[in-house]
Structures are given as C-alpha cells and as structure tokens.
Amino acid sequence: MEKIYELAIVGAGPAGIATAVESYLQGVCDIVLLEKDTNHNSTIRKYYKENKRVDLEWKGQKVELNGRIHFIDGTKETTLDFFDEILEEHLVELQTQVEVQSIEKKEDCFEVHMAGKSIKAKNVVVTIGRMGKPNKPSYKIPPSIRKKVNYTTDECSEGEKILVVGGGDSAVEYAVDLSQNNDVTICYRRESFRRANPTNQSNIADAIAHGDVRPLLGMNINGLEDDNGRVRVLFSEKEPESFDRVIYAIGGTTPSAFLASSGIEEKDGKPVHDEHYETNVKGLFVAGDITQESGGSIALGLNHGYDIARYIKGKSEV
C-alpha cells in the first residue's frame, strides 16, 4: 500500500522544524519535512550576513516559549547549528530540493504535489516564509541591467557604487555592511528608519554621521534605465543618478497563488486560520511568517509549531 504520512510540513524554517520536532515529542509518527532549497533555514542562509545576530524576540515582542525547543539568542552560525542538532536528535525525515506545487484535499488525506512526484499525508502544515518571495519594484527593470539589480548582497564586488533601497532591518544591514568596501547610498521613501530594530537604527545613524553611508530619505523611485551598463535611477524628488548596482530590500510577500491553489482563503494579505492555525480546509494548517503582519519572530514560529503539534495529537486520540 502507498505510504500515508501522519504529517507533512512544507518549509524547513524555524516554524516548520518546530512543528516537526514538537509533533515527534507528542508521539506523532511518520512526519516528513519538505524543503525546496538544499538545506533547512534557507532564508537565514541567504539573507543573513556572516555572524549576524539572530534574536528570539523580534522588534521588541515579548514572547514566552511554550514548547520544548529552548532557543536562545545567537548568530547566524549558532542558529543553523542549533537546528541541525535538534533535527538529528529527533530523527525527522527531511527531504530537500523538493518544491511543493499544490496541496490537494482527498477524502481521507491530502496529496502533496511536487515536480515529478507526490506524497500523501493526513495533515499538512504550510510554513513558507515571506522572504522566499522578495518584493520587487512595480516598475519594469530593463533586461540589459537585470544582473545589476539584486535582492541580496551575494553579487556585490568591492569598490562598487551601490544603492540600497528600503528602510527595514535588511536594508540597513546591507548598507552598513557594504559601506566597508563600497560607495553606498541608502534610499528610503520615509524620513527615518523607524522600521529597523534599535541596534540597526544606531548603526545606520553612526554610518551616516561618519560619512560611510549617504542617505536619501523621503525619496521615491519612478524607474530604472540602462546607462551604458550601469543602472540609472529615476527619482521623483531629485535628478537621476547612476549606480554600479541597485539592491532592493523591501520585504517579502505572502505566496498567494500557492495558497489559493491549495484552497486556503486569505484576508488582508494573510491566510485565514483559527486559534489552532487550521485553515478553512480541515487538516491543513499555516504557521510562521505568513501568519504575521511582518515576519521575523522565531519565538512565534516555535509556538505555532507547538500549538499545532498538540492539536494534531489531540485529534488523533479522539
């Protein structure tokens, strides 16, 4: 007979791993964790610079951990090591490089469709992070300069004139980090960096005060043009200016098309769910960043996993 998992989890970030581990500790058997990237926590691996702080709390949120995963503040490296250890300790089946395309409700289970294959599970939890789909500007980017327009710092070289667009933590961190070896400008449509956490607000203020980062605050961008291989940025409030590279750090979006294809309803840009994080499709849950106004809270993601695990275990005992 074809195997039917008790629980399939889409996305191997903190919320996904917490759901798997907490379910294992509750006695739920046959759990599979599905990740489209080559390893767990791809957002931390891709978007966090080396030695970047990873905090339990996010933007001052005070969250008491409810489950049995005792996460503490650390760095990018210690956080990845921590999740490596708990995955290994609890023998969670992790399948990587499998991108889930849709989730189909059957009579007695779900069929989780991936490229070239599918699996069946009685319960499914979607923990896809927003940063898996970074926000892009509304104006078109000319094909000839697309390689010079990025969403991470991976493509940057030393000695470049770089424009970072955004005012949150990622934008500020990119600007401060790149300013050590580059000519960096940060452009934000608001007059201050109040979206960033206090540490980053202090760091960007210092960088600006010392002339390491040039601020363009209260500025809007109307479009981009090719300037002989450089990126000409068209501003609303000032004359155009050309840069070697432009990096957009303007957040991420809920994967609405994926949620809709799985029958999950949305309201105000977030999936609809009850107090157990169960969606309008019974047995199909959501957890982590996509349930929040703005992602980032590891503590909330861990608690989501614990709550869902307890609820699924309780259902199985009825």
Side-chain angles (χ1 to χ4, degrees), residues 166-180:
D169 288 307
S170 293
V172 167
E173 289 168 4
Y174 288 169
V176 171
D177 189 45
L178 290 169
S179 68
Q180 298 176 32

Side-chain angles (χ1 to χ4, degrees), residues 54 94 117 130 197 217:
V54 180
L94 172 62
K117 69 173 185 176
R130 291 174 181 269
N197 66 44
L217 299 179

Side-chain angles (χ1 to χ4, degrees), residues 40-65:
H40 63 81
N41 283 296
S42 59
T43 295
I44 293 176
R45 294 178 193 277
K46 290 181 179 179
Y47 294 96
Y48 285 37
K49 65 183 181 181
E50 301 305 308
N51 296 311
K52 170 179 163 57
R53 282 184 58 82
V54 180
D55 296 328
L56 175 66
E57 296 173 352
W58 175 253
K59 295 185 178 180
Q61 295 179 9
K62 299 292 183 182
V63 180
E64 194 74 29
L65 290 179

Side-chain angles (χ1 to χ4, degrees), residues 91-102:
L91 304 176
V92 172
E93 180 183 343
L94 172 62
Q95 294 187 18
T96 59
Q97 294 182 287
V98 288
E99 184 168 2
V100 175
Q101 298 170 334
S102 64

